[in-house]
Each structure stands twice: as C-alpha cells, then as structure tokens.
Amino acid sequence: MSKNFDTRMMEWREQIDKCLFKIIAGSSYPAEFKSILDYAVFPGGKRLRPILFLEWHSLYAPPDESALLFACGLELMHAYSLIHDDMPCMDNDDMRRGKPSVHKEYGEGKALLAGDALLDLSYNCMFEACRDKSSSLIMFSAVRGDLGIVHGQYLDLYGKIGSLDDLINVYERKTASLIRACCVIGYTFMQKLDAKEYLAVLYGALDGDGADDDNVAALIKPLSAYKFGHNFGIAFQIFDDVSEYIAGEKSDGTTVLDYLDLDKAKALLNTYLNAALAELDGEYNGDTAYLREFAEKFVIV
C-alpha cells in the first residue's frame, strides 16, 4: 500500500470516528445507555462502508459535511446489524472485534435496545444530511429491508442453503446490499435523480421499467457504482470465509469452503474482485486509484 493511501484512509477514519462520537454524545439517551452505544461503535475496525461512500462521492465531487454525516449513518446501520446478528436468537456470537459482543457485555435486553437506537440514529443522520435528496433515502430503505439485510439474514437463518448459488444469494443480500448502497448513494449524493431512476440503478437495470432512454447515459456511472458494490460486497464476504479457513478458525455457518476447495475459493474471490475493479476503468471526475488500492487489499493469492 502506498503512503498516500494509508494517510488518506487514516484521515477518513479519523473524520468518521469524530462525527460518530458527536452523534452519540449529542443524543438525549441516558449516559449509561450512551456508553453501551459507544461500546458497540468504537473501536470501529475498517470503517469500510462509510469510506466506500466517501470515495465514490469523491469520484463525482469532494464530500462536504452532509456527505460525512450520511456516511456515518451508513456505519450506524452496520453497527446495528452487527449487534442483532450476534444475538443468541440469531448467529449467537460471543465475540465481536476482539471483545465480548454487546449482549455478552450488557445483557440481551440492553443489546437489543442498543441496536434499535443505532438504527434510529442512522435514520436521523440520513434525514438531516439529505435535505432535498429524498431519493437517497429510498435507496437506503430498500437495502435495509426486503431487498437487503433483513431478507439476507432471514435466508441465512431459515432458508435452505443447498448449493453455492444459494449461499451467494445470501451474501448478495446480507453483505453486498449495504456495500452496494454505499457506492451508489455516494456517487449520486450530489445528483438529482428521481425515484424511478434510483430504482433502475438499484435493480442493476437500465431497460424495461427502468430509466427513460434519454436518461440512460446519465445513469451509466451510477450503474458502474452498483456493479462495483455488488461484486466487491460478495468478494468481501468470500474473503472472510477464506481468511477464516486459512487461519484454521471454525465457521459458525455455511461458507464457500463447504462447496469449493481452497484454490477454487480463492479463484472465485478474485473473479468477483476483478469484476469490481473493471468498473473503475471509466473516466470520473476524481481519482479511482484509492478505490482500486482499497479493493486490491482483499486479493488472496
């Protein structure tokens, strides 16, 4: 990794963490409850999702304070999903980011409420940041529910995963949907797309009931953001599977290694990453080198 890349990522994380701290501290929750929210949000790991939002935003225009606030809303959404995923009734994970999961540290009731609170705070951030950008909220709402995280978690818990295709379908919804939204909303945040145009991008289609022919050209780059997020999101989950396998860690659920040997799993990971990287070959206002280097961190040879 280049020094410029490391510096840029560190600066993004510092801005994101400072904004997240202010969001939680500025809420009207009791001090004891705020400490639980802080526990769930800090330290924050990669801050992958808000950084993807900000980097894709940078390909269109430099992010402002409202963009940073929206990016933090994305991270709060992610934090909420982790708390709920870790609960005994879900994935039943005792550890998260090297420390006890929220429900292990504070109990299930407080953990459930903390997840709910972070979800509410995420939408507070969205509404405050969007102003006249209501189409961004349409996109965000869609990836949270029937098109995304909730649907993916349901399939993971109760669906019949009998093939690699079934598993990739779970990854596409549970992991890639939010990552995809970060990329698409990041790139289009300063643009005025109507709901129909946003949904055209959301479904990865520019025909049929999607955008009008006159507007197709304007949506080519948002569709590239969609494709990048889709492929990178799936690759990111496969990377976790492969990394755990190489480290000798026992998985709690089904992974690609249940269907592929290690070499084929690596090849599948890199196929998705290469598909994501191909979407950066076009001409953008900003420099794609940072996004390219970010994605290449997840290559396994």
Side-chain angles (χ1 to χ4, degrees), residues 117-183:
L118 292 176
L119 176 59
D120 287 343
L121 284 174
S122 74
Y123 267 101
N124 288 347
C125 294
M126 305 297 166
F127 281 112
E128 184 177 342
C130 279
R131 300 189 181 99
D132 61 343
K133 304 180 182 72
S134 60
S135 52
S136 295
L137 288 174
I138 294 170
M139 177 74 162
F140 190 74
S141 296
V143 302
R144 187 176 72 85
D146 61 324
L147 294 175
I149 297 173
V150 176
H151 190 164
Q153 180 69 354
Y154 184 87
L155 291 176
D156 193 22
L157 289 171
Y158 306 113
K160 294 181 180 179
I161 301 175
S163 68
L164 180 61
D165 287 343
D166 291 340
L167 183 63
I168 295 300
N169 184 41
V170 173
Y171 289 177
E172 179 182 348
R173 296 176 185 277
K174 185 175 177 179
T175 303
S177 62
L178 183 55
I179 290 175
R180 189 166 60 229
C182 292
C183 301

Side-chain angles (χ1 to χ4, degrees), residues 15 31 46 53-54 58 73 100 135 228 250 286:
Q15 291 181 53
K46 304 178 186 69
F53 175 93
L54 294 167
S58 297
S135 52
F228 176 95
K250 184 178 179 181

Side-chain angles (χ1 to χ4, degrees), residues 46-118:
K46 304 178 186 69
R47 300 297 190 209
L48 178 145
R49 290 153 188 83
I51 287 176
L52 282 174
F53 175 93
L54 294 167
E55 283 295 347
W56 271 99
H57 192 300
S58 297
L59 296 188
Y60 183 81
D64 58 12
E65 289 185 5
S66 65
L68 178 62
L69 183 60
F70 198 100
C72 287
L74 293 166
E75 183 65 13
L76 291 172
M77 167 66 72
H78 176 55
Y80 129 79
S81 73
L82 295 181
I83 293 176
H84 283 197
D85 282 0
D86 289 340
M87 297 281 284
C89 61
M90 295 284 194
D91 293 345
N92 195 23
D93 287 325
D94 291 344
M95 300 294 292
R96 171 67 63 179
R97 292 172 176 165
K99 64 181 183 180
S101 303
V102 177
H103 73 272
K104 295 298 292 185
E105 186 73 14
Y106 294 100
E108 293 181 30
K110 290 179 180 178
L112 183 64
L113 289 171
D116 293 343
L118 292 176

Side-chain angles (χ1 to χ4, degrees), residues 239-249 257 262 266 300-301:
F239 177 86
D240 271 0
D241 291 351
V242 173
S243 298
E244 285 184 357
Y245 183 86
I246 292 174
E249 299 176 11
L257 278 307
L262 181 57
K266 289 180 181 179
I300 297 181
V301 296

Side-chain angles (χ1 to χ4, degrees), residues 175-204:
T175 303
S177 62
L178 183 55
I179 290 175
R180 189 166 60 229
C182 292
C183 301
V184 175
I185 302 175
Y187 187 75
T188 59
F189 192 70
M190 297 296 293
Q191 305 176 44
K192 292 188 180 298
L193 301 181
D194 62 28
K196 184 179 179 182
E197 291 169 333
Y198 245 118
L199 290 173
V201 177
L202 177 62
Y203 286 101

Side-chain angles (χ1 to χ4, degrees), residues 1 5 10 19 35-36 49 70 95 101 140 220 241 257 274:
M1 289 178 285
F5 175 84
M10 180 182 67
C19 184
S35 69
I36 300 175
R49 290 153 188 83
F70 198 100
M95 300 294 292
S101 303
F140 190 74
I220 293 296
D241 291 351
L257 278 307
N274 287 333

